[in-house]
Amino acid sequence: MKQMTSVEARQAFLDFFVEMGHQQVASSSLVPANDPTLLFTNAGMVQFKDVFLGLDKRDYKRAATSQKCMRVSGKHNDLENVGPSPRHHTFFEMLGNFSFGDYFKRDAIRFAYALLTQVYELPPDRLAFTVYKDDDEAYDIWINDIGVDPRRVARMDTKTNFWQMADTGPCGPTSEIHWDKTPELGLDSIIPLMQAEDDRFLELWNLVFMQYNRTQPDPENTGKYDQPLPAPGVDTGMGLERILSVVNGVTANYDTDLFTPIIAATQRLSGHTDEERDTNYVPYRVIADHIRAAVFLIAEGVLPGAKGRDSVCRLVIRRASRFGAKLGFREPFLGKLVDTVVEIMGGHYTELVERRDAIKKVITQEEERFRRTLDRGVEELEAELSKLPEGGVLPGGVVFYLKATLGLPDQVTKDIVEERGYSVDMAGFRAAEAEHAIRSGGGQAMGEIDAVNVYKDTLAQLQAGGALASRGVVYNPYGSLQVEDQVRAILQDGQRVNSAIAGDKVEIVLGATPFYVEAGGQVSDTGVIIGDGWRVEVEDTRRPVGGLIVHIGEVVEGQPREGDTALASVDAGRRMDILRNHTATHLLHAALRKNLGSHVQQRGSLVAPDRLRFDFAHDAKMTPDELRAVEAQVNDVIMANYEVCAVEKPLAEARAEGAMALFGEKYGDTVRTISIIGNEDSRYSYELCGGTHVSETAEIGPFLIVSEGSVSAGIRRIEALTGSAAMHYIQNSRGALAHLAARLGAAPEHVEERVSALQDELNQAKKQIERLQREIARQQFDQLVTSLEPINGTQALIAQLDDVPPETLREMTDWFRGIVKSGVLVLGSVTDGRPQVVVAVTDDLTKQGLHAGNLIKQIAPVIGGGGGGRPTMAQAGGKDASKLGAALETARQLIAGSHSSG
């Protein structure tokens, strides 16, 4: 076998298929474009899904990729196996070659065998193969064309060797190539052991032959609903990590150069010996795997958060940090591993190099946040486990509480619980999470996924009948705001209909449209579609599948029918407001980069008619001076009336010229660029953008920043107004200022001075009130301290006070120690409906075994809370004020018992 580095193995694959006539295609984003069914890209074919479905076309029929993938959810969730398993990962690279109606089984098998045996130089006698049980064609190719011994080819059933995208649609048999780990067991045992799914074999490569179109669900896979596809396709996938381990003769992927440098860097930080490292191989593997995942996710703009994809980024960082704690790390360390990941992967994935510093910062900040809550979370978890019988089950509600309240991911909780010999009610956890989502308004996404087939069928029917061209609806939102065409289809309640009547909610398909479809943050256009005697008010425009655009609205007059001539008109005033806001986002982006630094990158936006919202990468709150400078610069450019130019050009050319792209956005080979031309023909701003814009910046009118805040760690958000919305804001603000000035009896220009004077007066009054309250509290305490009660020889003051704030309770412990030389103080009070308890113990009694922190830990649960503290002073808060008296009585019993035991 040929020893290879990861760089060599990846490039050898791509070079081989380029030589075989394939187009090398860059990896798509980990965040799938326009596919709400997937959390992350989990296979190489994801970016070609629409091509296989016939909804998209490429300029090539053969492709090869090394695709970034994540498998952390659904049936492809490998998270629990990461670490103990030598080959499972969250993030991995999938090498794949694809044919879109070009070659089929013979060439796919021939290419795969040649690459493995001639390029990677794997011994043919270490390979074994599978085909679908009824796929005589593939079996014949392996035996007669390739010359493989029949004893090496196993026929397998549907479970392992038949692939389908969904219950209906493209499907077909597969052929797998396996590595024989123990060839000494002999040829005759290959087929029976393969059919028994024995661990003797390691799957290297899966060749999927998209051969049929399944017209109805067929759970038994009888094939009676399978029609041959007019242009069969090939989709293959081979994990880079796995083939690399085989060519280098190691048993674990973690022993390849994709992971060993990360493990070595972690070992240097931990100070472990090689023996200690090998003993703790699971934590080292988890850290190596998860830091790779975190680096790639953050580079894609997925940042640690509470929901969706962001929650996965948070999970891998926090889980890695928790395994780091098992290795002895007490301070954040994951950020120090980023450079190693970038050194390994940055040559092929250059975005890692560009975003290195930002990635480090995000990971470190997230780990710091987790470290602050980890100890408390584990402490509460341990308390819950102590209530369980040996081998018991932790309730799902507790798991959800720890996640929602303390940020302890459910997988981390599960790890800890199982390490302690208990199990977790994950079904209960999911139920608690779902209930919370319903109460908070969540859990409603993806409701329209089931309707995709209706749109696909409609598009196919229109194209087959000639009503639409092969490329679908003609889409041009950049020209006239009116287009006359025919009604090609009407859809209502998920069904295609011939006509509709007034009051019906409908989706209208035209052959061409000037309506903009929501993309890149810009909202869809609204307007009207008018025919002979009928009118539809369009409230939204969408592209449910590639090539099809639907105008969603209500029939307000008449009866539209398929085939009617219609005039589609965009709401011009609303569109103009959107143009202003979209061009303003480009000006804002440029101004932020010029004032804050080139690290600023767009992370999201909303371009609506009434406002714009712009999310960007920046790790600090903007100062008032920075906000004023950015706002002033944008307004200067607006008043300078710079020209705004839209030009289509090749993507490579635009990127070479410095055009900025929104990371994670899917771009074609040809892109639309927006240049804002400044003085001496220099570009003030240059971005890739498919949106609509003004022709000159003066059309924007006034620009006002109305808010700046945090969205998540390292992401800031600005909201701003332009044009008429900005004018209304200015007028309203002037009116409010005039009204306030009148109330204060001051001129508008002196309002700030008058408010400052009133604040000073208020602060003085507050200080006077606090001083009087403290004096009253001291008098109350001095009366209490005269009535100490002896408890088995210990002087104690146990009392409930009315509405004494926590800080005053703490101060009373100092007063107590200043007066009482030997004794115990326990005070309780309810403030704003919440009970508080403090405990103080004099120094002499702490030496005899009394400990304020231990006392409070036993008192606090009575009021539904928790707390802790030092031997001499401790404090706790709770939820149940009605139990405060019972808590004080518990304190009395504990003091008596502690003294007796001492």
Side-chain angles (χ1 to χ4, degrees):
M1 290 185 293
K2 187 175 183 179
Q3 296 279 308
M4 285 186 170
T5 65
S6 56
V7 173
E8 292 168 342
R10 182 193 299 114
Q11 198 58 48
F13 180 93
L14 296 171
D15 289 347
F16 173 83
F17 280 103
V18 168
E19 187 177 343
M20 295 299 114
H22 292 62
Q23 173 74 40
Q24 180 178 330
V25 179
S27 171
S28 64
S29 171
L30 278 173
V31 179
N34 301 322
D35 191 344
T37 66
L38 282 178
L39 192 65
F40 293 109
T41 298
N42 60 11
M45 66 82 63
V46 169
Q47 68 167 309
F48 304 117
K49 182 177 177 181
D50 283 350
V51 181
F52 283 120
L53 290 172
L55 303 175
D56 188 15
K57 291 184 178 175
R58 301 292 175 95
D59 296 331
Y60 44 83
K61 290 191 173 182
R62 300 181 175 195
T65 66
S66 181
Q67 174 64 49
K68 299 174 287 187
C69 296
M70 282 282 292
R71 289 187 175 175
V72 288
S73 62
K75 67 178 182 179
H76 294 305
N77 187 355
D78 290 337
L79 188 64
E80 291 188 21
N81 294 320
V82 173
S85 165
R87 297 184 184 89
H88 283 88
H89 306 289
T90 53
F91 170 86
F92 65 99
E93 291 179 78
M94 184 173 283
L95 305 172
N97 59 290
F98 307 87
S99 168
F100 314 119
D102 187 16
Y103 63 83
F104 200 43
K105 295 180 185 179
R106 178 167 278 101
D107 282 341
I109 291 173
R110 181 172 59 85
F111 290 152
Y113 190 77
L115 177 68
L116 292 177
T117 59
Q118 297 172 27
V119 178
Y120 291 141
E121 298 181 6
L122 301 187
D125 61 1
R126 294 292 299 274
L127 298 177
F129 312 89
T130 67
V131 297
Y132 181 55
K133 61 183 180 180
D134 298 330
D135 192 356
D136 295 334
E137 181 185 2
Y139 184 84
D140 183 69
I141 294 169
W142 280 118
I143 304 303
N144 297 316
D145 287 24
I146 305 299
V148 172
D149 190 315
R151 291 175 293 176
R152 294 188 179 276
V153 184
R155 291 181 182 267
M156 307 290 281
D157 61 17
T158 305
K159 176 184 174 184
T160 60
N161 280 71
F162 196 91
W163 176 91
Q164 56 189 98
M165 185 176 289
D167 288 340
T168 60
C171 62
T174 70
S175 181
E176 297 172 347
I177 305 173
H178 294 253
W179 176 250
D180 188 349
K181 294 185 287 183
T182 52
E184 61 272 16
L185 294 178
L187 270 172
D188 292 335
S189 62
I190 287 179
I191 291 177
L193 290 177
M194 184 74 77
Q195 291 174 337
E197 299 184 37
D198 190 82
D199 190 49
R200 169 179 174 176
F201 304 101
L202 173 67
E203 181 189 336
L204 291 180
W205 206 342
N206 190 18
L207 315 179
V208 177
F209 307 125
M210 296 190 191
Q211 190 168 356
Y212 305 108
N213 179 39
R214 181 160 290 176
T215 58
Q216 295 185 42
D218 186 8
E220 301 301 322
N221 208 47
T222 63
K224 61 183 178 181
Y225 304 119
D226 296 347
Q227 303 296 324
L229 285 170
V234 172
D235 156 28
T236 83
M238 175 169 61
L240 173 64
E241 295 79 3
R242 191 165 288 191
I243 186 63
L244 190 62
S245 70
V246 170
V247 298
N248 287 289
V250 295
T251 58
N253 296 353
Y254 294 96
D255 294 329
T256 68
D257 72 350
L258 288 170
F259 296 94
T260 52
I262 305 172
I263 291 172
T266 307
Q267 184 182 355
R268 285 193 296 273
L269 293 173
S270 71
H272 281 174
T273 64
D274 290 351
E275 183 179 3
E276 289 173 318
R277 177 202 63 203
D278 294 343
T279 300
N280 292 281
Y281 73 92
V282 170
Y284 274 100
R285 287 178 177 180
V286 171
I287 291 165
D289 175 272
H290 287 13
I291 189 64
R292 292 198 335 148
V295 166
F296 274 91
L297 287 172
I298 295 166
E300 298 270 16
V302 179
L303 301 178
K307 296 181 179 179
R309 298 182 178 102
D310 293 345
S311 69
V312 174
C313 186
R314 168 164 287 173
L315 169 61
V316 294
I317 294 173
R318 294 192 169 193
R319 191 164 187 256
S321 180
R322 190 256 160 180
F323 273 96
K326 290 173 67 71
L327 295 181
F329 289 105
R330 295 292 173 259
E331 299 295 330
F333 72 99
L334 293 172
K336 298 174 184 177
L337 302 177
V338 172
D339 284 336
T340 305
V341 178
V342 174
E343 287 165 12
I344 298 168
M345 309 294 285
H348 191 72
Y349 301 106
T350 56
E351 67 270 18
L352 304 185
V353 180
E354 298 168 5
R355 295 166 175 79
R356 181 197 308 247
D357 292 340
I359 294 168
K360 288 181 186 177
K361 182 170 289 188
V362 170
I363 288 176
T364 300
Q365 288 175 342
E366 177 62 20
E367 193 176 7
E368 287 172 345
R369 278 191 290 270
F370 182 51
R371 291 274 171 172
R372 287 195 291 268
T373 61
L374 177 60
D375 290 342
R376 183 182 166 198
V378 172
E379 182 180 339
E380 293 209 19
L381 175 56
E382 295 283 10
E384 292 295 333
L385 292 177
S386 68
K387 303 173 185 176
L388 299 178
E390 185 175 348
V393 179
L394 184 70
V398 174
V399 182
F400 176 72
Y401 164 76
L402 293 172
K403 179 180 179 180
T405 307
L406 300 176
L408 200 65
D410 54 283
Q411 184 60 49
V412 172
T413 299
K414 189 171 185 289
D415 290 339
I416 297 172
V417 170
E418 291 177 350
E419 287 169 7
R420 302 290 196 275
Y422 300 91
S423 59
V424 176
D425 175 16
M426 292 305 293
F429 162 74
R430 287 187 286 271
E433 194 169 44
E435 182 182 355
H436 172 76
I438 292 170
R439 288 202 308 267
S440 61
Q444 299 171 15
M446 299 186 189
E448 296 178 13
I449 293 174
D450 293 339
V452 169
N453 286 335
V454 174
Y455 297 117
K456 284 163 46 181
D457 293 342
T458 300
L459 176 62
Q461 292 162 7
L462 293 175
Q463 289 173 326
L468 288 180
S470 60
R471 287 285 183 177
V473 174
V474 177
Y475 177 61
N476 182 18
Y478 311 119
S480 171
L481 296 184
Q482 290 189 330
V483 167
E484 187 176 88
D485 201 272
Q486 283 186 319
V487 176
R488 311 298 172 126
I490 302 173
L491 292 98
Q492 184 178 3
D493 298 327
Q495 300 292 325
R496 188 174 175 183
V497 296
N498 291 322
S499 64
I501 61 175
D504 285 348
K505 292 283 188 179
V506 294
E507 298 173 65
I508 304 287
V509 179
L510 304 173
T513 182
F515 281 69
Y516 185 84
V517 177
E518 181 174 354
Q522 179 175 330
V523 299
S524 295
D525 282 330
T526 61
V528 295
I529 301 175
I530 300 174
D532 185 10
W534 59 265
R535 176 187 181 96
V536 174
E537 291 188 354
V538 178
E539 59 194 33
D540 197 6
T541 314
R542 297 180 189 170
R543 183 185 285 109
V545 294
L548 189 72
I549 293 172
V550 295
H551 305 80
I552 302 169
E554 181 179 345
V555 181
V556 294
E557 181 182 346
Q559 187 174 358
R561 298 177 181 273
E562 280 195 16
D564 283 358
T565 299
L567 181 68
S569 301
V570 173
D571 183 331
R574 182 177 181 275
R575 167 73 82 85
M576 189 65 211
D577 287 336
I578 293 171
L579 301 186
R580 294 187 180 103
N581 283 333
H582 203 153
T583 306
T585 63
H586 286 224
L587 297 181
L588 175 60
H589 192 186
L592 287 167
R593 289 174 62 84
K594 294 176 191 300
N595 283 271
L596 302 181
S598 60
H599 67 280
V600 169
Q601 290 186 338
Q602 182 174 346
R603 282 292 182 264
S605 66
L606 170 67
V607 179
D610 58 339
R611 71 192 190 285
L612 68 89
R613 186 178 71 214
F614 189 78
D615 297 345
F616 59 100
H618 186 56
D619 58 1
K621 178 180 174 64
M622 290 182 66
T623 66
D625 287 342
E626 289 171 339
L627 287 169
R628 279 191 291 269
V630 167
E631 184 179 81
Q633 187 172 116
V634 172
N635 279 301
D636 287 343
V637 173
I638 290 171
M639 289 187 289
N641 201 23
Y642 289 171
E643 183 182 4
V644 181
C645 298
V647 178
E648 287 193 353
K649 61 181 63 178
L651 174 62
E653 178 184 340
R655 294 306 302 268
E657 292 172 348
M660 294 198 64
L662 177 59
F663 200 82
E665 191 73 22
K666 184 179 180 181
Y667 296 102
D669 294 334
T670 301
V671 294
R672 190 167 186 266
T673 65
I674 301 297
S675 301
I676 300 176
I677 311 299
N679 297 325
E680 300 177 354
D681 294 330
S682 64
R683 289 188 177 108
Y684 178 80
S685 168
Y686 188 31
E687 297 192 25
L688 306 184
C689 180
T692 57
H693 291 267
V694 299
S695 301
E696 297 174 319
T697 58
E699 297 174 40
I700 297 172
F703 171 86
L704 293 176
I705 294 175
V706 295
S707 69
E708 188 274 346
S710 172
V711 177
S712 60
I715 302 296
R716 308 298 298 179
R717 170 173 291 173
I718 282 178
E719 294 198 2
L721 306 174
T722 67
S724 56
M727 286 301 303
H728 290 150
Y729 185 89
I730 292 169
Q731 291 167 351
N732 291 339
S733 297
R734 289 179 63 186
L737 178 60
H739 180 71
L740 181 61
R743 291 282 303 272
L744 293 172
E749 61 269 24
H750 298 306
V751 164
E752 185 176 357
E753 297 170 14
R754 179 62 182 138
V755 170
S756 294
L758 288 174
Q759 287 178 324
D760 289 341
E761 294 173 17
L762 181 60
N763 287 335
Q764 289 297 322
K766 284 183 177 179
K767 290 178 181 178
Q768 180 73 359
I769 292 169
E770 288 171 359
R771 184 180 64 79
L772 292 171
Q773 287 178 331
R774 186 175 178 278
E775 289 178 1
I776 293 170
R778 182 61 200 242
Q779 292 174 3
Q780 189 178 10
F781 178 80
D782 287 341
Q783 291 178 344
L784 285 172
V785 83
T786 60
S787 56
L788 292 171
E789 60 177 298
I791 302 178
N792 288 346
T794 298
Q795 293 292 94
L797 175 54
I798 303 173
Q800 180 172 340
L801 307 176
D802 294 329
D803 199 27
V804 176
E807 56 271 19
T808 304
L809 287 176
R810 287 195 296 271
E811 191 172 14
M812 285 180 171
T813 65
D814 294 330
W815 298 341
F816 178 81
R817 281 191 292 268
I819 297 173
V820 179
K821 302 306 179 186
S822 178
V824 181
L825 172 72
V826 183
L827 296 177
S829 184
V830 179
T831 305
D832 296 329
R834 296 186 65 87
Q836 298 281 335
V837 178
V838 294
V839 177
V841 179
T842 55
D843 291 337
D844 64 313
L845 294 181
T846 63
K847 297 173 183 177
Q848 297 178 27
L850 272 177
H851 188 293
N854 292 339
L855 288 173
I856 206 74
K857 285 180 181 179
Q858 298 175 78
I859 298 169
V862 179
I863 55 173
R870 304 186 305 273
T872 56
M873 201 281 283
Q875 188 168 6
K879 302 172 184 176
D880 191 351
S882 67
K883 299 291 180 61
L884 184 57
L888 296 179
E889 183 55 35
T890 298
R892 183 174 283 104
Q893 295 170 6
L894 289 170
I895 294 168
S898 174
H899 182 80
S900 298
S901 63

